Amino acid sequence: MPLDTSTYSLALLRLDGRRWNELRRIHAQISTQAAADGSSYLEMGNTKVLCSVTGPWEGRQTGQKGGKDNEAKVEVEIGFAGFSGIERRRRKQDKRTAEMQHCLKTAYEGVLVTHLYPHSTISLNLHILSQDGSLLAACINAATLALIDAGVPMTDYLCACTAASSATSSESDNSDPLLDLNNLEEQELPFLTVGTLGRSEKVSVLMLETRVRMERVEGMLAVGIEGCKRVREILDGVVKGYGKRFT
Amino acid sequence: MALPSIALPGQLLGPANKYAPGPGTHIHNAQIHASIAGPVATSPQTAPKSSTTTPNSATKPLPLLSVRRKEDAQDGSILGTSSSGNSTILPEVDSIVLARITRLGPRFASLEILIINNAVCSAPFSGLIRREDIRATEKDKIRVEDCFRVGDLVRGVVISLGDQSNYYVSTARNEYGVVMATSREGRPMFPVSWKEFRDPVTGRGEGRKVAKPF
Protein backbone atom coordinates (compact mmCIF):
# COMPACT_ATOMS: atom_id res chain seq x y z
CA MET A 1 0.00 0.00 0.00
CA PRO A 2 1.56 3.37 -0.95
CA LEU A 3 2.07 6.01 1.68
CA ASP A 4 -0.99 8.16 2.17
CA THR A 5 0.13 11.77 1.70
CA SER A 6 -3.29 13.38 1.45
CA THR A 7 -3.17 14.86 4.93
CA TYR A 8 0.32 16.34 4.52
CA SER A 9 -0.91 19.66 3.21
CA LEU A 10 -3.34 20.01 6.10
CA ALA A 11 -0.56 19.61 8.67
CA LEU A 12 1.76 21.87 6.64
CA LEU A 13 4.13 19.00 5.94
CA ARG A 14 6.32 18.74 2.87
CA LEU A 15 6.21 15.97 0.30
CA ASP A 16 8.67 13.83 2.25
CA GLY A 17 6.95 14.41 5.56
CA ARG A 18 9.26 17.05 7.01
CA ARG A 19 8.26 20.34 8.52
CA TRP A 20 9.58 23.59 7.14
CA ASN A 21 12.62 23.76 9.44
CA GLU A 22 13.74 20.15 9.51
CA LEU A 23 16.93 18.87 7.94
CA ARG A 24 17.07 15.62 6.08
CA ARG A 25 18.97 12.75 7.64
CA ILE A 26 22.70 13.50 7.56
CA HIS A 27 25.14 10.60 7.79
CA ALA A 28 28.89 11.15 7.52
CA GLN A 29 32.13 9.26 7.93
CA ILE A 30 35.74 10.40 7.79
CA SER A 31 38.92 8.50 6.95
CA THR A 32 37.17 6.33 4.43
CA GLN A 33 40.14 5.97 2.05
CA ALA A 34 43.55 4.93 3.28
CA ALA A 35 45.37 6.16 0.18
CA ALA A 36 44.26 9.77 0.47
CA ASP A 37 45.58 12.27 2.98
CA GLY A 38 42.04 12.99 4.11
CA SER A 39 38.73 11.54 3.01
CA SER A 40 35.08 11.64 3.91
CA TYR A 41 31.71 10.32 2.85
CA LEU A 42 28.56 12.34 3.37
CA GLU A 43 24.86 11.68 2.87
CA MET A 44 22.29 14.45 3.08
CA GLY A 45 19.08 12.62 2.45
CA ASN A 46 19.62 10.92 -0.89
CA THR A 47 22.49 13.19 -1.94
CA LYS A 48 25.69 11.17 -1.51
CA VAL A 49 29.18 12.66 -1.88
CA LEU A 50 32.67 11.18 -1.60
CA CYS A 51 35.54 13.59 -0.99
CA SER A 52 39.29 13.02 -0.80
CA VAL A 53 42.02 15.55 -0.06
CA THR A 54 45.60 15.37 -1.27
CA GLY A 55 48.14 17.74 0.08
CA PRO A 56 49.67 20.10 0.73
CA TRP A 57 51.77 18.65 -2.06
CA GLU A 58 54.25 19.85 -4.65
CA GLY A 59 51.81 20.19 -7.51
CA ARG A 60 52.33 19.32 -11.14
CA GLN A 61 55.54 20.08 -12.93
CA THR A 62 54.06 22.28 -15.62
CA GLY A 63 52.71 25.71 -14.99
CA GLN A 64 53.00 28.01 -12.04
CA LYS A 65 53.55 26.33 -8.71
CA GLY A 66 51.37 27.36 -5.83
CA GLY A 67 49.13 30.34 -5.54
CA LYS A 68 49.92 34.01 -5.69
CA ASP A 69 51.49 35.98 -2.84
CA ASN A 70 53.31 32.89 -1.52
CA GLU A 71 50.19 31.02 -0.52
CA ALA A 72 48.98 27.52 -1.22
CA LYS A 73 46.70 27.00 -4.19
CA VAL A 74 43.40 25.19 -3.73
CA GLU A 75 42.32 22.95 -6.60
CA VAL A 76 38.84 21.43 -6.73
CA GLU A 77 37.64 18.70 -9.06
CA ILE A 78 34.04 17.53 -9.01
CA GLY A 79 33.14 14.35 -10.82
CA PHE A 80 29.61 13.13 -11.40
CA ALA A 81 28.97 9.42 -11.57
CA GLY A 82 26.97 8.46 -14.62
CA PHE A 83 24.38 6.79 -12.43
CA SER A 84 24.02 9.70 -10.02
CA GLY A 85 20.95 11.32 -11.52
CA ILE A 86 17.64 10.16 -12.86
CA GLU A 87 18.93 10.13 -16.42
CA ARG A 88 22.37 8.76 -17.18
CA ARG A 89 24.96 11.51 -17.49
CA ARG A 90 27.28 11.41 -20.44
CA ARG A 91 29.25 14.64 -20.56
CA LYS A 92 32.07 14.77 -18.04
CA GLN A 93 32.38 18.51 -17.53
CA ASP A 94 30.07 21.39 -18.21
CA LYS A 95 29.74 25.01 -17.18
CA ARG A 96 27.68 24.21 -14.11
CA THR A 97 30.36 21.89 -12.73
CA ALA A 98 33.06 24.48 -13.42
CA GLU A 99 31.01 27.08 -11.58
CA MET A 100 30.63 24.80 -8.56
CA GLN A 101 34.36 24.08 -8.60
CA HIS A 102 35.17 27.78 -8.65
CA CYS A 103 32.72 28.46 -5.84
CA LEU A 104 34.32 25.79 -3.66
CA LYS A 105 37.81 26.99 -4.54
CA THR A 106 37.18 30.59 -3.53
CA ALA A 107 35.33 29.51 -0.39
CA TYR A 108 38.16 27.34 0.87
CA GLU A 109 40.86 29.83 -0.05
CA GLY A 110 39.23 32.09 2.51
CA VAL A 111 38.83 29.42 5.18
CA LEU A 112 42.13 27.52 5.05
CA VAL A 113 45.30 29.04 6.44
CA THR A 114 47.09 28.94 3.10
CA HIS A 115 50.02 31.19 3.94
CA LEU A 116 51.59 28.36 5.95
CA TYR A 117 52.28 26.37 2.75
CA PRO A 118 53.78 28.63 0.07
CA HIS A 119 54.22 27.15 -3.42
CA SER A 120 52.03 24.17 -2.54
CA THR A 121 48.75 22.78 -3.78
CA ILE A 122 45.80 21.41 -1.82
CA SER A 123 43.66 19.21 -4.06
CA LEU A 124 40.04 18.40 -3.34
CA ASN A 125 38.43 15.59 -5.32
CA LEU A 126 34.69 15.20 -4.95
CA HIS A 127 32.62 12.41 -6.48
CA ILE A 128 28.84 12.70 -6.59
CA LEU A 129 27.30 9.27 -6.15
CA SER A 130 23.66 10.31 -5.93
CA GLN A 131 21.88 13.62 -6.51
CA ASP A 132 18.76 14.70 -4.68
CA GLY A 133 19.07 18.44 -4.26
CA SER A 134 21.35 20.62 -2.10
CA LEU A 135 24.33 19.45 -4.11
CA LEU A 136 26.63 22.41 -3.47
CA ALA A 137 25.87 22.29 0.25
CA ALA A 138 26.68 18.58 0.41
CA CYS A 139 29.97 19.15 -1.41
CA ILE A 140 30.96 21.88 1.03
CA ASN A 141 30.13 19.79 4.09
CA ALA A 142 31.99 16.76 2.72
CA ALA A 143 35.04 18.84 1.85
CA THR A 144 35.12 20.34 5.35
CA LEU A 145 35.19 16.89 6.93
CA ALA A 146 37.90 15.68 4.56
CA LEU A 147 40.10 18.72 5.23
CA ILE A 148 39.78 18.20 8.99
CA ASP A 149 40.77 14.58 8.48
CA ALA A 150 43.79 15.65 6.42
CA GLY A 151 44.94 18.04 9.13
CA VAL A 152 44.97 21.13 6.92
CA PRO A 153 44.81 24.20 9.21
CA MET A 154 41.57 26.11 8.93
CA THR A 155 39.95 28.85 10.94
CA ASP A 156 36.65 27.08 11.56
CA TYR A 157 34.17 24.62 10.11
CA LEU A 158 32.56 25.71 6.85
CA CYS A 159 29.00 24.36 6.81
CA ALA A 160 26.43 24.91 4.10
CA CYS A 161 22.69 24.51 3.75
CA THR A 162 19.89 25.48 1.37
CA ALA A 163 16.72 27.47 2.03
CA ALA A 164 13.74 28.19 -0.19
CA SER A 165 10.75 30.46 -0.20
CA SER A 166 7.40 28.78 -0.57
CA ALA A 167 5.44 32.03 -0.69
CA THR A 168 3.02 32.79 -3.50
CA SER A 169 2.87 36.05 -5.37
CA SER A 170 0.28 37.65 -3.12
CA GLU A 171 1.63 40.14 -0.63
CA SER A 172 -0.41 38.93 2.29
CA ASP A 173 1.11 35.43 2.18
CA ASN A 174 3.43 34.85 5.13
CA SER A 175 4.54 31.29 4.55
CA ASP A 176 7.63 30.00 6.28
CA PRO A 177 10.82 29.44 4.28
CA LEU A 178 11.80 25.81 3.75
CA LEU A 179 15.10 24.31 4.88
CA ASP A 180 17.31 21.69 3.18
CA LEU A 181 15.59 21.09 -0.12
CA ASN A 182 15.35 17.90 -2.06
CA ASN A 183 15.35 17.64 -5.83
CA LEU A 184 11.63 18.23 -6.38
CA GLU A 185 11.60 21.32 -4.20
CA GLU A 186 14.68 22.71 -5.91
CA GLN A 187 13.02 22.53 -9.28
CA GLU A 188 9.79 24.15 -8.13
CA LEU A 189 10.80 26.86 -5.68
CA PRO A 190 13.26 29.77 -5.59
CA PHE A 191 16.13 28.78 -3.29
CA LEU A 192 19.55 29.87 -2.12
CA THR A 193 22.61 28.06 -0.80
CA VAL A 194 24.33 29.64 2.19
CA GLY A 195 27.56 28.58 3.92
CA THR A 196 28.65 29.97 7.26
CA LEU A 197 31.86 29.79 9.25
CA GLY A 198 31.45 27.83 12.44
CA ARG A 199 29.40 29.13 15.31
CA SER A 200 29.46 32.70 14.07
CA GLU A 201 26.99 33.93 11.49
CA LYS A 202 29.66 35.04 9.05
CA VAL A 203 28.46 34.07 5.58
CA SER A 204 31.25 32.66 3.41
CA VAL A 205 29.21 31.14 0.57
CA LEU A 206 26.01 32.55 -0.88
CA MET A 207 24.53 31.44 -4.18
CA LEU A 208 21.09 32.47 -5.41
CA GLU A 209 20.12 31.89 -9.02
CA THR A 210 16.34 32.00 -9.07
CA ARG A 211 13.90 34.92 -8.97
CA VAL A 212 12.54 35.78 -5.56
CA ARG A 213 10.99 38.83 -3.97
CA MET A 214 13.49 40.95 -2.12
CA GLU A 215 11.66 41.09 1.18
CA ARG A 216 11.73 37.30 1.44
CA VAL A 217 15.50 36.95 1.02
CA GLU A 218 16.19 37.94 4.62
CA GLY A 219 13.88 35.25 5.96
CA MET A 220 15.45 32.66 3.69
CA LEU A 221 18.91 33.72 4.84
CA ALA A 222 17.93 33.51 8.50
CA VAL A 223 16.54 30.02 8.10
CA GLY A 224 19.57 28.93 6.09
CA ILE A 225 21.97 30.22 8.74
CA GLU A 226 20.06 28.37 11.44
CA GLY A 227 20.32 25.24 9.33
CA CYS A 228 24.07 25.73 9.00
CA LYS A 229 24.39 25.86 12.77
CA ARG A 230 22.62 22.55 13.06
CA VAL A 231 24.75 21.06 10.30
CA ARG A 232 27.82 22.19 12.20
CA GLU A 233 26.68 20.35 15.31
CA ILE A 234 26.18 17.19 13.28
CA LEU A 235 29.62 17.44 11.64
CA ASP A 236 31.17 18.24 15.00
CA GLY A 237 29.64 15.06 16.39
CA VAL A 238 31.09 13.03 13.52
CA VAL A 239 34.61 14.36 14.12
CA LYS A 240 34.35 13.89 17.88
CA GLY A 241 33.00 10.38 17.45
CA TYR A 242 35.94 9.57 15.22
CA GLY A 243 38.34 11.15 17.71
CA LYS A 244 37.04 8.96 20.52
CA ARG A 245 38.56 5.94 18.84
CA PHE A 246 42.06 7.27 19.48
CA THR A 247 41.79 8.18 23.14
CA MET B 1 38.95 28.13 32.09
CA ALA B 2 40.52 24.72 31.70
CA LEU B 3 42.05 23.73 28.40
CA PRO B 4 40.23 21.03 26.44
CA SER B 5 42.15 17.82 25.91
CA ILE B 6 41.18 17.54 22.24
CA ALA B 7 40.51 20.61 20.10
CA LEU B 8 38.62 20.98 16.84
CA PRO B 9 39.14 23.67 14.19
CA GLY B 10 37.75 26.99 15.32
CA GLN B 11 37.56 26.04 18.98
CA LEU B 12 38.49 28.76 21.45
CA LEU B 13 41.52 27.80 23.54
CA GLY B 14 42.41 30.87 25.55
CA PRO B 15 43.29 34.57 25.52
CA ALA B 16 46.36 35.76 23.66
CA ASN B 17 47.80 37.53 26.70
CA LYS B 18 47.78 34.30 28.69
CA TYR B 19 49.27 31.90 26.11
CA ALA B 20 51.56 32.20 23.13
CA PRO B 21 50.26 30.64 19.91
CA GLY B 22 52.16 27.62 18.66
CA PRO B 23 51.76 25.23 15.73
CA GLY B 24 48.20 24.32 14.90
CA THR B 25 46.67 27.49 16.37
CA HIS B 26 45.86 30.99 15.18
CA ILE B 27 44.86 34.30 16.77
CA HIS B 28 41.50 35.88 16.04
CA ASN B 29 40.22 38.89 18.03
CA ALA B 30 42.99 38.50 20.64
CA GLN B 31 41.90 34.92 21.31
CA ILE B 32 43.77 31.76 20.40
CA HIS B 33 41.76 29.29 18.32
CA ALA B 34 42.68 25.83 17.09
CA SER B 35 43.39 25.34 13.39
CA ILE B 36 43.50 21.55 13.18
CA ALA B 37 41.87 18.69 15.05
CA GLY B 38 44.06 17.04 17.66
CA PRO B 39 45.21 17.02 21.28
CA VAL B 40 46.19 20.29 22.95
CA ALA B 41 49.61 20.62 24.56
CA THR B 42 51.10 23.43 26.64
CA SER B 43 54.82 23.75 27.19
CA PRO B 44 56.44 26.51 29.28
CA GLN B 45 58.80 28.67 27.25
CA THR B 46 62.33 29.43 28.32
CA ALA B 47 62.99 32.94 29.57
CA PRO B 48 64.32 35.23 26.85
CA LYS B 49 67.83 36.60 27.24
CA SER B 50 66.82 40.15 26.37
CA SER B 51 65.11 40.67 29.72
CA THR B 52 68.27 42.16 31.21
CA THR B 53 67.03 45.65 30.34
CA THR B 54 64.49 45.37 33.16
CA PRO B 55 66.20 43.32 35.87
CA ASN B 56 63.77 44.23 38.62
CA SER B 57 60.50 43.27 37.00
CA ALA B 58 61.04 39.62 36.13
CA THR B 59 58.40 39.04 33.49
CA LYS B 60 57.20 35.47 33.44
CA PRO B 61 57.20 34.00 29.91
CA LEU B 62 53.88 32.82 28.52
CA PRO B 63 53.40 29.07 28.03
CA LEU B 64 53.27 27.87 24.44
CA LEU B 65 49.96 26.47 23.26
CA SER B 66 50.02 24.03 20.35
CA VAL B 67 47.81 21.44 18.71
CA ARG B 68 49.44 18.38 17.15
CA ARG B 69 48.21 15.71 14.84
CA LYS B 70 47.49 12.40 16.52
CA GLU B 71 49.58 10.43 14.01
CA ASP B 72 52.63 12.60 14.59
CA ALA B 73 53.01 11.29 18.12
CA GLN B 74 52.83 7.67 17.00
CA ASP B 75 55.44 5.73 15.11
CA GLY B 76 54.67 6.44 11.47
CA SER B 77 55.29 3.14 9.74
CA ILE B 78 55.14 2.91 5.98
CA LEU B 79 52.77 -0.05 5.99
CA GLY B 80 50.32 1.51 8.42
CA THR B 81 46.67 0.79 7.74
CA SER B 82 45.61 4.34 8.53
CA SER B 83 46.55 7.26 6.33
CA SER B 84 50.27 7.25 6.95
CA GLY B 85 50.81 9.94 4.35
CA ASN B 86 49.22 12.60 6.52
CA SER B 87 52.47 14.12 7.68
CA THR B 88 54.03 16.60 5.31
CA ILE B 89 57.31 15.07 4.18
CA LEU B 90 59.71 17.54 2.63
CA PRO B 91 63.36 17.08 1.70
CA GLU B 92 65.69 18.98 4.00
CA VAL B 93 69.42 19.54 3.97
CA ASP B 94 71.21 16.30 4.97
CA SER B 95 68.15 14.16 4.23
CA ILE B 96 69.08 10.80 2.74
CA VAL B 97 66.96 10.29 -0.34
CA LEU B 98 66.30 7.54 -2.84
CA ALA B 99 65.68 8.88 -6.32
CA ARG B 100 65.33 7.77 -9.91
CA ILE B 101 67.33 9.37 -12.72
CA THR B 102 65.02 10.94 -15.28
CA ARG B 103 67.31 12.96 -17.55
CA LEU B 104 71.03 13.30 -18.24
CA GLY B 105 72.90 16.37 -19.38
CA PRO B 106 76.58 17.15 -19.86
CA ARG B 107 76.90 18.84 -16.49
CA PHE B 108 73.96 17.53 -14.43
CA ALA B 109 71.56 14.62 -13.94
CA SER B 110 67.88 15.22 -13.25
CA LEU B 111 66.08 12.93 -10.86
CA GLU B 112 62.81 12.57 -9.00
CA ILE B 113 62.98 11.94 -5.27
CA LEU B 114 60.84 8.98 -4.21
CA ILE B 115 61.88 8.23 -0.60
CA ILE B 116 63.08 10.67 2.04
CA ASN B 117 64.67 9.22 5.20
CA ASN B 118 62.84 5.87 4.82
CA ALA B 119 59.48 7.60 4.27
CA VAL B 120 57.73 7.29 0.92
CA CYS B 121 56.66 10.57 -0.69
CA SER B 122 53.12 10.75 -1.92
CA ALA B 123 54.27 12.87 -4.86
CA PRO B 124 57.83 12.88 -6.20
CA PHE B 125 60.04 15.95 -5.85
CA SER B 126 62.39 16.96 -8.62
CA GLY B 127 66.10 17.14 -7.91
CA LEU B 128 69.42 17.67 -9.58
CA ILE B 129 72.89 16.15 -9.25
CA ARG B 130 75.55 18.47 -10.59
CA ARG B 131 78.70 17.07 -12.11
CA GLU B 132 80.85 18.41 -9.28
CA ASP B 133 78.74 16.58 -6.69
CA ILE B 134 78.99 13.08 -8.17
CA ARG B 135 82.32 12.02 -6.69
CA ALA B 136 84.51 13.31 -3.92
CA THR B 137 87.72 12.94 -5.95
CA GLU B 138 88.82 13.87 -9.50
CA LYS B 139 85.91 16.22 -10.06
CA ASP B 140 87.25 17.59 -13.32
CA LYS B 141 87.58 14.22 -15.06
CA ILE B 142 84.04 12.98 -14.40
CA ARG B 143 81.71 12.23 -17.29
CA VAL B 144 78.05 12.09 -16.31
CA GLU B 145 77.18 9.28 -18.73
CA ASP B 146 79.83 7.06 -17.12
CA CYS B 147 78.22 7.47 -13.70
CA PHE B 148 74.46 7.38 -14.26
CA ARG B 149 71.93 6.13 -16.75
CA VAL B 150 68.27 7.06 -17.11
CA GLY B 151 66.14 4.80 -14.92
CA ASP B 152 68.77 4.06 -12.28
CA LEU B 153 67.87 4.15 -8.61
CA VAL B 154 70.27 6.43 -6.76
CA ARG B 155 70.88 6.98 -3.07
CA GLY B 156 72.05 10.48 -2.23
CA VAL B 157 71.98 13.26 0.30
CA VAL B 158 70.31 16.64 -0.09
CA ILE B 159 72.91 19.40 0.08
CA SER B 160 70.72 22.38 -0.76
CA LEU B 161 67.11 23.31 -1.21
CA GLY B 162 68.22 24.64 -4.56
CA ASP B 163 66.34 26.93 -6.85
CA GLN B 164 62.62 27.23 -7.46
CA SER B 165 62.10 23.84 -8.97
CA ASN B 166 64.97 21.52 -8.01
CA TYR B 167 66.63 20.20 -4.89
CA TYR B 168 70.39 19.74 -5.10
CA VAL B 169 71.49 16.19 -4.31
CA SER B 170 75.01 14.91 -3.84
CA THR B 171 76.45 11.40 -4.18
CA ALA B 172 79.99 12.35 -3.19
CA ARG B 173 80.51 9.70 -0.53
CA ASN B 174 81.20 5.99 -0.72
CA GLU B 175 77.78 4.89 0.47
CA TYR B 176 75.94 7.11 -2.02
CA GLY B 177 75.45 6.33 -5.68
CA VAL B 178 73.56 3.90 -7.85
CA VAL B 179 71.90 1.11 -5.87
CA MET B 180 69.86 -0.51 -8.67
CA ALA B 181 70.77 -0.46 -12.33
CA THR B 182 69.32 -2.10 -15.42
CA SER B 183 71.47 -3.27 -18.29
CA ARG B 184 70.95 -2.43 -21.92
CA GLU B 185 69.11 -5.72 -22.43
CA GLY B 186 66.77 -4.83 -19.58
CA ARG B 187 68.02 -7.10 -16.82
CA PRO B 188 68.88 -5.95 -13.27
CA MET B 189 72.63 -5.89 -12.75
CA PHE B 190 74.74 -6.49 -9.66
CA PRO B 191 77.62 -4.28 -8.47
CA VAL B 192 81.15 -5.63 -8.75
CA SER B 193 83.28 -2.62 -7.85
CA TRP B 194 83.05 1.06 -6.97
CA LYS B 195 82.60 2.00 -10.60
CA GLU B 196 81.08 -0.99 -12.40
CA PHE B 197 77.84 -2.98 -12.58
CA ARG B 198 77.72 -6.32 -14.41
CA ASP B 199 74.97 -8.12 -16.28
CA PRO B 200 74.42 -11.60 -14.81
CA VAL B 201 73.64 -13.20 -18.18
CA THR B 202 76.03 -11.67 -20.67
CA GLY B 203 78.72 -10.71 -18.18
CA ARG B 204 79.13 -7.32 -19.81
CA GLY B 205 80.09 -4.54 -17.42
CA GLU B 206 78.74 -0.98 -17.45
CA GLY B 207 80.28 1.99 -15.72
CA ARG B 208 78.34 3.58 -12.82
CA LYS B 209 79.00 5.49 -9.64
CA VAL B 210 78.25 2.51 -7.41
CA ALA B 211 76.97 2.92 -3.85
CA LYS B 212 78.72 0.94 -1.16
CA PRO B 213 76.34 -1.76 0.12
CA PHE B 214 75.28 -1.55 3.76
Side-chain angles (χ1 to χ4, degrees):
Chain A
M1 175 180 174
L3 182 65
D4 185 13
T5 61
S6 59
T7 57
Y8 275 13
S9 56
L10 299 179
L12 295 181
L13 297 184
R14 294 146 87 170
L15 272 181
D16 46 10
R18 289 183 286 147
R19 288 183 176 86
W20 61 276
N21 58 349
E22 286 179 351
L23 294 168
R24 289 178 292 177
R25 178 183 175 266
I26 294 181
H27 168 72
Q29 301 177 47
I30 58 174
S31 286
T32 53
Q33 302 175 38
D37 292 327
S39 53
S40 70
Y41 168 71
L42 182 88
E43 292 179 8
M44 291 180 69
N46 280 326
T47 303
K48 297 170 185 173
V49 180
L50 275 176
C51 180
S52 66
V53 173
T54 301
W57 65 302
E58 182 92 359
R60 297 175 190 89
Q61 297 293 322
T62 58
Q64 176 197 354
K65 286 192 175 181
K68 59 189 175 71
D69 294 331
N70 282 329
E71 291 183 349
K73 182 170 64 171
V74 180
E75 286 183 352
V76 180
E77 280 190 28
I78 299 180
F80 285 81
F83 47 86
S84 61
I86 291 176
E87 300 174 1
R88 186 168 185 93
R89 187 184 177 106
R90 289 187 200 85
R91 268 185 305 157
K92 294 286 185 178
Q93 289 279 325
D94 54 357
K95 286 188 169 59
R96 183 159 205 88
T97 308
E99 186 177 351
M100 281 176 66
Q101 287 172 183
H102 180 73
C103 179
L104 278 170
K105 174 177 146 66
T106 51
Y108 280 106
E109 276 174 357
V111 172
L112 303 177
V113 194
T114 48
H115 72 271
L116 294 178
Y117 305 104
H119 309 293
S120 299
T121 301
I122 299 169
S123 299
L124 290 162
N125 282 273
L126 292 122
H127 296 273
I128 315 295
L129 302 182
S130 176
Q131 303 181 50
D132 192 29
S134 298
L135 191 59
L136 180 62
C139 291
I140 288 172
N141 297 329
T144 296
L145 286 176
L147 286 161
I148 291 172
D149 182 40
V152 181
M154 52 174 61
T155 53
D156 215 325
Y157 286 60
L158 179 64
C159 307
C161 205
T162 50
S165 168
S166 64
T168 56
S169 58
S170 66
E171 296 208 2
S172 62
D173 197 348
N174 283 323
S175 299
D176 292 309
L178 302 182
L179 184 66
D180 195 20
L181 314 172
N182 54 20
N183 208 13
L184 290 178
E185 291 161 346
E186 263 191 9
Q187 290 165 5
E188 295 277 334
L189 303 170
F191 74 98
L192 57 83
T193 304
V194 58
T196 57
L197 251 190
R199 290 188 189 90
S200 67
E201 298 186 352
K202 175 188 171 185
V203 173
S204 291
V205 179
L206 182 58
M207 188 176 280
L208 171 63
E209 289 169 332
T210 47
R211 296 172 59 179
V212 65
R213 294 173 65 100
M214 189 170 60
E215 57 262 21
R216 308 205 189 271
V217 175
E218 186 178 358
M220 293 160 70
L221 256 179
V223 167
I225 288 172
E226 283 298 318
C228 290
K229 289 180 181 176
R230 254 187 286 152
V231 169
R232 191 205 185 271
E233 287 164 13
I234 295 172
L235 300 189
D236 205 58
V238 170
V239 177
K240 282 177 174 171
Y242 180 73
K244 278 193 172 62
R245 290 194 242 164
F246 287 102
T247 59
Chain B
M1 55 177 287
L3 287 177
S5 59
I6 291 182
L8 294 168
Q11 190 169 344
L12 178 67
L13 298 180
N17 49 15
K18 199 176 174 185
Y19 298 99
T25 62
H26 66 277
I27 291 186
H28 179 70
N29 286 338
Q31 309 279 334
I32 298 180
H33 298 257
S35 298
I36 58 176
V40 186
T42 60
S43 58
Q45 291 194 86
T46 58
K49 301 298 182 183
S50 62
S51 66
T52 56
T53 58
T54 56
N56 292 327
S57 64
T59 59
K60 191 176 183 180
L62 303 177
L64 194 80
L65 198 59
S66 62
V67 181
R68 303 186 319 274
R69 290 282 299 179
K70 190 64 182 181
E71 285 86 0
D72 292 341
Q74 301 172 2
D75 176 74
S77 65
I78 295 176
L79 299 176
T81 55
S82 64
S83 304
S84 64
N86 276 346
S87 60
T88 305
I89 303 170
L90 283 179
E92 298 163 355
V93 175
D94 292 335
S95 296
I96 298 175
V97 297
L98 205 62
R100 171 177 286 127
I101 305 286
T102 54
R103 200 157 55 103
L104 289 183
R107 299 191 71 254
F108 63 91
S110 294
L111 44 86
E112 51 179 21
I113 295 171
L114 307 171
I115 291 174
I116 303 170
N117 290 335
N118 298 320
V120 184
C121 312
S122 54
F125 299 94
S126 54
L128 207 66
I129 302 180
R130 295 174 297 182
R131 197 182 74 154
E132 301 88 33
D133 299 323
I134 294 176
R135 289 189 193 273
T137 58
E138 293 183 355
K139 298 184 178 181
D140 47 339
K141 298 179 183 176
I142 290 170
R143 291 159 40 123
V144 181
E145 56 267 19
D146 288 342
C147 301
F148 301 118
R149 212 55 68 86
V150 171
D152 289 347
L153 271 186
V154 174
R155 189 190 302 126
V157 64
V158 177
I159 53 173
S160 171
L161 299 187
D163 43 23
Q164 280 282 319
S165 55
N166 281 315
Y167 292 90
Y168 286 173
V169 178
S170 167
T171 58
R173 286 167 64 116
N174 288 341
E175 55 264 20
Y176 300 139
V178 179
V179 294
M180 278 179 63
T182 310
S183 67
R184 225 171 283 126
E185 289 86 19
R187 280 181 287 266
M189 300 192 286
F190 59 94
V192 293
S193 71
W194 57 275
K195 61 175 182 178
E196 195 184 2
F197 270 84
R198 191 169 290 172
D199 195 309
V201 173
T202 64
R204 188 177 303 122
E206 295 187 13
R208 295 284 199 279
K209 202 278 177 187
V210 182
K212 182 179 181 179
F214 286 164

